Amino acid sequence: MKIQSRASAYGKIVLGMGAAALLLAGCAKHAPKTVATAAPPSGHIYPVAVDVPPPVSPKIKFTPAEQAKVQQAFNVISLKSALMVAALSCNQRDQYDAFMHSFQPHVLAAQRTMDAYFHKASGRYSGQKMEDSFITLLANNQSVSGIAQGQIFCLNNQAEYKAVLAIKTPQELDSFVTNQPPTARVASLSQGQ
């Protein structure tokens, strides 16, 4: 009898859980089903402005001018990382090399600013470890974003490279990674074609 009442109790629990799941599923708002089609390339497909990790201690301070310079450097390095992910994933190495050839001094200056930030924000040795972790996580997140885009990732990156390779000065590059949201950049690109 005890086994039968236990089985009955478990059956009621399972039945109750199943009913609750069905009720919740019926209440959920379902997205309308659409047929997947390849979207046209959009250019500037990912945000390159990244959050700067805070210093390890509240005693470590940066002036507003230092913070702005650091943020700009992080944005440039984020773009470089995203372009590298595209180069490796989509066989766009020639475009990446052209970008680096054009902007290597500016990218290296941004890298030195980032290095200095991490060393001040976390100390010389732990700063290097923190920076390495940040760069790895950044590239991993950009890769995951690319995987989520599926087949259009490489098409989107062709448009992104077209926009980046049209940039002529470091100041234009800084504007590209900071001042222009992706949709504004796409609008200005489509007007120029």
Side-chain angles (χ1 to χ4, degrees), residues 106-136:
H106 191 61
V107 171
L108 290 176
Q111 184 64 53
R112 285 190 294 276
T113 300
M114 181 183 273
D115 295 344
Y117 172 80
F118 278 109
H119 289 166
K120 181 177 177 182
S122 186
R124 183 175 182 181
Y125 297 107
S126 59
Q128 186 60 54
K129 184 177 179 182
M130 188 177 176
E131 182 175 1
D132 292 344
S133 295
F134 175 83
I135 293 295
T136 301

Side-chain angles (χ1 to χ4, degrees), residues 11-95:
K12 288 179 183 177
I13 290 172
V14 170
L15 182 63
M17 289 172 62
L22 287 173
L23 180 63
L24 288 175
C27 294
K29 294 181 180 178
H30 298 287
K33 294 187 180 204
T34 58
V35 177
T37 60
S42 59
H44 210 45
I45 54 164
Y46 31 71
V48 290
V50 295
D51 292 331
V52 175
V56 296
S57 169
K59 294 179 182 178
I60 300 171
K61 302 288 184 192
F62 290 89
T63 67
E66 288 173 323
Q67 290 173 343
K69 183 178 178 181
V70 166
Q71 183 64 63
Q72 187 62 43
F74 272 68
N75 294 349
V76 169
I77 296 302
S78 178
L79 175 65
K80 174 188 161 265
S81 176
L83 294 175
M84 186 182 301
V85 167
L88 296 172
S89 301
C90 303
N91 197 22
Q92 296 171 328
R93 289 175 182 90
D94 291 342
Q95 293 95 325

